[in-house]
Amino acid sequence: MDLQTLTYAVVGATFLLYIGIAIWARAATTGEFYVAGKGIHPVANGMATAADWMSAASFISMAGLIAFNGYGASVFLMGWTGGYVLLAMLLAPYLRKFGKFTVPEFIGDRYYSKAARIVAVLCLIIASITYVIGQMKGIGVAFSRFLQTDYDTGLYIGMAIVFVYAVLGGMKGITYTQIAQYVVLIFAYTIPAVFISLQLTGQPFPQIGLGSAMGDGSGTYMLDRLDQVVTDLGFKEYTTQTIGSKLNMFAYTFSLMIGTAGLPHVIIRFFTVPKVRDARSSAGWALVFIAILYTTAPAVGAMARLNLMNTIQTGEVGSAEGNLAYENAPQWFKNWEKTGLLKFEDKNGDGRIQYYNEKNEDMAAKAASYGWAGSEMTKVDRDIMVLANPEIAKLPNWVIAIVVAGGLAAALSTAAGLLLAIASSISHDLLKGIFAPNISEGAELMASRIAMAGAIFAAGYLGLHPPDFAAGTVAIAFGLAAASIFPALMMGIFSKKVNNTGAILGMLAGISVTMFYVFQHKGIAFVPNTAHLIGGAGSEGFTANWFFGISPNAFGSVGALVNFAVALTVSSVTKAPPEHIQHMVEDVRVPKGADAAVDH
């Protein structure tokens, strides 16, 4: 069976499975729509949480960032994994004990204010929509390759699929669908990694293969070989390059960590288990399931970069026949060109592909002496690396088909969880909680589905021109959550003295300063051609205007500090919270006596 037919068969089978589960587990009540009836087993919830967590950014984009940023991309591994530990230890059990459906509901009750609840909804929607944009980028990449069409068409088709199964099922359908998606995506990620590790190093475990010697008998370690290959072409050494300064690396990691712990679509999963103990247990299981992919990602990234460079630079750098002739380019190269995510321009007219760092002055001088007229790979979208890696390595067609199915599963699973968080915040927190408290359950359920559909279209539109790679866009969403939601949750659980005025002003200050900084560099509301309208960087480029060298993607850490500072300062000079609120805060931290989730 040819690759395209096999890919259609595998992807089609997985989609039928997802949609079948969504219909079978269709939510009939608001309890099932929001928290799956609070009856999910901790192991099952851990697997569903892992699928919800391992989005397109983790499956498709993270290894691509590692492939091109090397050691610098370790911020994603450390930030996202460390943040999950924070979530499991400091937030999930207490929020589950509080017994509400949503994060804004907790904030509204803890800070005894409808205004606080509205601000929390606003922050949640902003962070979640930004996160969904990253998923839409991944969906567009995966579908464009799967259907061999352009990126925009792939995105439109992906939006339609998300609409069908996310809007139908609610949390109950999404939970069981995500369990199936986890199985698909983890096999899709690890199987090609094992094959490629065996090819390059002879080691069946990619985690070990990353630090092993090449299997060609040279005795050279794989990372040493990769360092040599990339530096010969003027790129930074793979094992030492960083993303900006050390301060930026720290801020980036910190922003991802606390942003992880503040993301509502993950927090809401811990409301689906029967008991507080189950919330902590399911968090532990999720970490186990997540670790399988996250310990494999560095090997996938490094091996993908080495295979890509070796495919294009087939011989000695600078030699007449050292570069791949375009007419001999493999089929995967031509397939990705169709998507517009890989572009080649024959600048010197020799019919061969030159790919090097033309911004490196020493390399540019060498390239000129070789007769090269500039790097001819004018676009290599980092988000294609995981999906292209099996084809580059010439793996069997069935492996390539599984990888495509896995990429789609990862993007669709997280998109569904995020859309549910957005829908519940609008219908449950705003509509039923504030503006129409007497609304019927059926009307609330319909409002949730309408809100979810609207979020799909909004994120899809913005996904046509995403502000960054999938993982970069997701990092912005984490920064927005870090600057707004995380401090409010932490102070709400661990401080009796923070009052409603402090919490509201803190959230507004944190998300405002972060959005201002991000929009300055990424465009207002991420609209193309509007970057730097607010105090731009001028001719010196992006990094010249970075605050203390901190990138927009990492600025959530600064926003969080602003949030904490404003909330604590304002609370210290205004009226203390009522006595019953202070007692409630103390009671939430006691490990016994949790009630069921309350709908009101």
Side-chain angles (χ1 to χ4, degrees):
M1 189 181 295
D2 66 274
L3 174 59
Q4 190 65 12
T5 304
L6 188 60
T7 304
Y8 277 122
V10 172
V11 173
T14 58
F15 276 12
L16 287 175
L17 175 63
Y18 305 153
I19 293 172
I21 291 173
I23 294 172
W24 166 72
R26 190 173 188 270
T29 66
T30 53
E32 289 181 344
F33 191 87
Y34 294 135
V35 291
K38 305 179 294 294
I40 304 299
H41 189 277
V43 177
N45 192 51
M47 192 175 291
T49 304
D52 203 352
W53 175 242
M54 292 188 297
S55 62
S58 292
F59 187 99
I60 294 175
S61 193
M62 183 171 63
L65 284 173
I66 293 172
F68 287 90
N69 289 305
Y71 168 75
S74 63
V75 298
F76 292 94
L77 295 168
M78 295 184 293
W80 284 338
T81 308
Y84 199 84
V85 175
L86 282 181
L87 174 62
M89 301 300 293
L90 296 181
L91 294 181
Y94 306 112
L95 292 173
R96 173 60 188 86
K97 182 182 178 183
F98 196 77
K100 301 299 180 182
F101 277 167
T102 66
V103 169
E105 193 170 10
F106 166 80
I107 290 175
D109 285 9
R110 161 58 184 88
Y111 295 111
Y112 50 98
S113 167
K114 289 185 178 180
R117 188 170 181 174
I118 293 171
V119 171
V121 170
L122 178 66
C123 295
L124 181 152
I125 291 173
I126 292 171
S128 297
I129 286 287
T130 306
Y131 202 153
V132 177
I133 296 170
Q135 306 317 304
M136 291 300 177
K137 170 70 191 300
I139 288 171
V141 171
F143 270 101
S144 62
R145 171 62 189 91
F146 162 49
L147 298 173
Q148 294 190 10
T149 185
D150 63 276
Y151 169 81
D152 289 2
T153 303
L155 176 59
Y156 292 137
I157 295 170
M159 286 169 59
I161 296 292
V162 171
F163 180 85
V164 169
Y165 91 91
V167 174
L168 271 180
M171 179 59 84
K172 185 179 179 183
I174 287 170
T175 296
Y176 292 109
T177 302
Q178 286 174 335
I179 292 171
Q181 287 168 332
Y182 175 80
V183 174
V184 172
L185 74 86
I186 204 66
F187 273 101
Y189 204 83
T190 55
I191 288 174
V194 169
F195 271 95
I196 295 170
S197 181
L198 283 169
Q199 277 185 358
L200 293 176
T201 68
Q203 290 286 348
F205 297 103
Q207 297 89 337
I208 297 174
L210 179 64
S212 299
M214 297 294 295
D216 57 9
S218 64
T220 304
Y221 283 92
M222 195 204 78
L223 287 174
D224 290 337
R225 175 69 59 81
L226 180 54
D227 278 342
Q228 179 187 352
V229 169
V230 295
T231 54
D232 283 350
L233 291 167
F235 296 101
K236 293 181 179 179
E237 189 176 58
Y238 185 84
T239 53
T240 60
Q241 70 180 107
T242 59
I243 299 178
S245 64
K246 289 183 180 179
L247 176 61
N248 186 61
M249 291 279 286
F250 175 82
Y252 214 140
T253 304
F254 186 62
S255 179
L256 292 174
M257 285 181 67
I258 62 175
T260 297
L263 279 173
H265 81 288
V266 176
I267 292 173
I268 199 174
R269 291 230 57 91
F270 298 104
F271 300 154
T272 65
V273 293
K275 297 177 290 186
V276 175
R277 180 180 178 182
D278 295 335
R280 201 182 294 275
S281 176
S282 63
W285 279 108
L287 199 56
V288 170
F289 293 128
I290 290 168
I292 298 173
L293 188 146
Y294 270 51
T295 57
T296 307
V300 172
M303 293 173 185
R305 180 72 179 279
L306 183 59
N307 279 334
L308 174 67
M309 304 306 290
N310 285 338
T311 298
I312 297 173
Q313 191 66 47
T314 56
E316 183 181 351
V317 177
S319 63
E321 297 183 353
N323 297 86
L324 176 69
Y326 181 70
E327 63 179 16
N328 296 329
Q331 188 59 44
W332 69 264
F333 194 99
K334 304 293 178 63
N335 290 339
W336 281 106
E337 280 190 300
K338 294 176 185 176
T339 68
L341 299 170
L342 190 71
K343 294 181 180 178
F344 161 72
E345 179 185 347
D346 192 2
K347 295 179 179 179
N348 64 351
D350 67 349
R352 293 184 177 272
I353 305 172
Q354 284 91 44
Y355 180 39
Y356 62 97
N357 184 9
E358 59 190 356
K359 295 179 182 179
N360 182 319
E361 292 182 3
D362 292 337
M363 186 63 211
K366 290 180 182 178
S369 70
Y370 301 149
W372 298 353
S375 182
E376 297 178 342
M377 293 302 301
T378 56
K379 184 173 184 179
V380 182
D381 193 299
R382 299 173 187 183
D383 290 343
I384 75 172
M385 292 307 296
V386 169
L387 297 177
N389 200 19
E391 295 179 275
I392 298 172
K394 300 177 182 178
L395 297 186
N397 285 349
W398 65 269
V399 177
I400 299 169
I402 288 177
V403 171
V404 174
L408 293 170
L412 294 173
S413 63
T414 303
L418 286 163
L419 292 166
L420 182 65
I422 295 169
S424 62
S425 67
I426 292 173
S427 64
H428 187 70
D429 290 303
L430 289 184
L431 191 61
K432 184 176 179 63
I434 296 175
F435 299 117
N438 296 321
I439 190 174
S440 68
E441 186 171 281
E444 183 185 353
L445 199 59
M446 179 58 67
S448 294
R449 290 181 167 133
I450 293 172
M452 192 180 287
I456 291 173
F457 289 115
Y461 172 76
L462 293 170
L464 292 172
H465 303 286
D468 208 328
F469 301 105
T473 305
V474 166
I476 296 171
F478 278 64
L480 294 169
S484 58
I485 298 171
F486 174 78
L489 293 177
M490 285 294 292
M491 291 183 288
I493 294 170
F494 294 102
S495 174
K496 297 185 296 181
K497 301 301 182 182
V498 179
N499 61 21
N500 53 6
T501 306
I504 291 168
L505 292 179
M507 285 189 286
L508 289 174
I511 199 164
S512 296
V513 71
T514 305
M515 287 177 63
F516 179 87
Y517 190 76
V518 169
F519 286 172
Q520 175 185 339
H521 293 280
K522 301 288 185 179
I524 299 173
F526 307 131
V527 174
N529 304 320
T530 62
H532 304 295
L533 290 183
I534 311 171
S539 60
E540 297 180 78
F542 289 103
T543 58
N545 235 19
W546 283 3
F547 178 77
F548 284 101
I550 299 174
S551 71
N553 295 24
F555 202 75
S557 54
V558 177
L561 294 178
V562 170
N563 188 332
F564 276 115
V566 170
L568 293 171
T569 301
V570 171
S571 297
S572 68
V573 297
T574 52
K575 187 178 179 179
E579 284 293 323
H580 73 278
I581 295 295
Q582 297 189 42
H583 288 307
M584 180 182 70
V585 173
E586 289 182 343
D587 182 63
V588 165
R589 297 200 301 269
V590 177
K592 293 183 180 180
D595 296 323
V598 178
D599 182 13
H600 62 74

